[in-house]
Amino acid sequence: MVPVAIVVSLISPASRLKWKEKIVPRSVTSVILLLILMLGSLIPPSLPVGDDSWILVSEENPDSWPWPASEQYTYLHDGKVISILNTRIPHTFSVYGSAQSSLSIALTLGLDDLRLKQSIDQLGINPESFALEPIVADSKHTYNDKEYHVLRERIFLESVDSLTLGYVLIVAIPSAGGELTVLSIVRTSLDDIDVWEEKIVNDFLRISD
């Protein structure tokens, strides 16, 4: 909305004239709104909660950025690494469009690599030698009769592009108020059985409701 507001306010001569006349109060208001947006993203999110059958191996992610505020718990279950990331999303407070836009921003800035580094390390793989490649697939999937934005990625060695080490499934679960839960599941199995990880995701949604 911010870029749209700027374009609309500068598109006509009358709007530009108003900006010249009221440059100080409008600039102060803009700065205050920006500060509120930035500071609001420092509010600690809720703590992640995993299923009782999952084995908790970490309650932090040393590779995460200090802003926006976030909490990440990492679990092991059935040979897979499950990460639950609760984070503030500074660009919106609404659930509508927040999941899709957050995944797009993460891919554009390479934040998915940073966030998944700890998960890959839990699998015994050197985090510095791997890379992620999105898999062309549906961007949405239905769990528990509700549609969620998802992302599937392939883990491969940077030195050997054709060598697949595993797969990643990311499910974005938005909440009102500017918090987003990102559930990521990393597996080394190369088979295509249940690529959507129905049981794990449904179990998580059941306990998080």
Side-chain angles (χ1 to χ4, degrees):
M1 292 178 61
V2 173
V4 172
I6 293 175
V7 170
V8 170
S9 65
L10 298 177
I11 199 170
S12 70
S15 296
R16 292 196 295 270
L17 181 61
K18 281 293 184 182
W19 263 101
K20 290 181 179 179
E21 295 176 353
K22 300 181 180 296
I23 183 67
V24 174
R26 288 191 176 188
S27 297
V28 171
T29 301
S30 299
V31 171
I32 291 175
L33 290 175
L34 183 60
L35 285 175
I36 292 174
L37 189 66
M38 301 286 284
L39 293 175
S41 299
L42 293 175
I43 299 174
S46 57
L47 293 178
V49 178
D51 190 81
D52 292 338
S53 63
W54 303 351
I55 301 173
L56 180 64
V57 294
S58 176
E59 296 184 359
E60 62 178 353
N61 186 356
D63 302 302
S64 65
W65 291 6
W67 182 92
S70 65
E71 291 284 348
Q72 177 172 309
Y73 283 15
T74 304
Y75 301 82
L76 291 178
H77 176 68
D78 196 23
K80 302 169 185 177
V81 178
I82 305 170
S83 294
I84 305 171
L85 168 68
N86 289 349
T87 183
R88 293 290 171 187
I89 41 178
H91 60 283
T92 179
F93 297 106
S94 170
V95 297
Y96 300 104
S98 60
Q100 183 179 17
S101 59
S102 297
L103 289 181
S104 299
I105 292 172
L107 280 175
T108 302
L109 300 179
L111 301 183
D112 54 333
D113 282 336
L114 293 173
R115 284 299 188 181
L116 290 170
K117 186 176 181 180
Q118 185 182 35
S119 298
I120 299 299
D121 188 52
Q122 295 294 335
L123 291 173
I125 303 172
N126 179 8
E128 304 303 328
S129 63
F130 82 94
L132 292 173
E133 177 185 55
I135 297 174
V136 179
D138 294 337
S139 61
K140 295 181 180 180
H141 190 71
T142 301
Y143 298 99
N144 286 352
D145 300 323
K146 186 176 180 181
E147 203 171 48
Y148 293 91
H149 284 278
V150 297
L151 172 66
R152 290 179 58 209
E153 296 181 294
R154 178 178 74 95
I155 308 170
F156 65 93
L157 284 175
E158 290 187 333
S159 57
V160 186
D161 180 81
S162 60
L163 180 57
T164 300
L165 300 177
Y167 293 98
V168 178
L169 171 68
I170 298 174
V171 183
I173 307 164
S175 301
E179 182 172 314
L180 180 71
T181 297
V182 180
L183 175 67
S184 64
I185 304 167
V186 181
R187 61 187 176 95
T188 55
S189 175
L190 301 184
D191 60 39
D192 291 328
I193 299 176
D194 193 15
V195 297
W196 299 110
E197 304 290 358
E198 300 273 358
K199 186 179 185 310
I200 291 178
V201 178
N202 286 334
D203 285 346
F204 175 75
L205 292 174
R206 173 179 51 79
I207 63 176
S208 61
D209 286 340

